[in-house]
Amino acid sequence: MIRRIIEIDREKCNGCGACVRACHEGAIALVDGKAQLMRDDYCDGMGDCLPNCPTDAIRFVEREALAYDEAAVKANMAKKKTSVSVSTLKAGSADRHGSRVSNWPVQLKLTPVKSKYFDGAHLLIAADCTAYAYGSFHEDFIDGRTLLIGCPKLDAVDYAEKLGEILYANDVRSVTLVRMQVPCCGGLELAAKRAIAASGKDIPLSVVTVASDGRLL
């Protein structure tokens, strides 16, 4: 039958996995570091994956494809859930300190400008190094916040412009910036301040500085 279904451009795909997480049917997986539609009959043609792709690598096409099989999707998802549960049991107490990250991707240069995880969010912008320098980063900073990370010294992007677009397009309630006590992190702080000003919104900003020995200054 001819029906609407997604098509993934492997050249544009950066392998972030955002579409895999957005697909409620489990139709997409990462193969050799690239997103791939695994089965036509798992794709319902609704396109929840499209707005989550930061590189616009996914589009709709009309082509010959198997009909969407809801029963097969439910069976597959139940199988995956059972597999995850077994893995969690095997992990035991080793999983007590698992990730508190609730959004993906977390790299500022990869995240989409408009996303549901930004609406009503308390945004956490962190320099790459902070999670390594400060041992309780997950417990003290990520809980209850939407995370974005970056390094102005390594990424050749205008953080201020991207952040400004995010703040303008979404209902962000507050911004917490965690940086290292090094000069290059000053660029991240400046970008956040410029972005808030450019958004035209009165968004509170809190800046936390981490010393190289892990102390909060």
Side-chain angles (χ1 to χ4, degrees), residues 132-209:
Y132 298 96
Y134 186 68
S136 299
F137 185 84
H138 278 241
E139 294 86 347
D140 293 354
F141 292 114
I142 296 182
D143 275 351
R145 295 187 176 101
T146 297
L147 174 66
L148 293 178
I149 65 173
C151 176
K153 191 171 183 178
L154 299 178
D155 293 338
V157 295
D158 186 350
Y159 281 147
E161 181 179 353
K162 182 70 173 288
L163 283 170
E165 292 175 352
I166 290 172
L167 297 178
Y168 179 81
N170 302 276
D171 179 27
V172 175
R173 303 296 176 84
S174 70
V175 176
T176 299
L177 186 137
V178 183
R179 53 164 293 183
M180 297 298 298
Q181 191 189 20
V182 291
C184 58
C185 273
L188 192 60
E189 181 175 342
L190 179 60
K193 292 178 178 178
R194 287 173 54 199
I196 292 173
S199 74
K201 299 179 181 180
D202 185 19
I203 302 174
L205 170 66
S206 175
V207 179
V208 179
T209 302

Side-chain angles (χ1 to χ4, degrees), residues 20-21 23-30 36 38-39 42 72-88:
V20 177
R21 295 168 181 80
C23 180
H24 302 298
E25 287 72 37
I28 307 173
L30 291 179
Q36 180 175 313
M38 303 306 291
R39 286 181 50 163
Y42 283 1
V73 168
K74 288 182 177 180
N76 180 54
M77 297 307 289
K79 182 179 179 181
K80 286 185 175 181
K81 185 176 181 180
T82 300
S83 177
V84 170
S85 299
V86 171
S87 297
T88 301

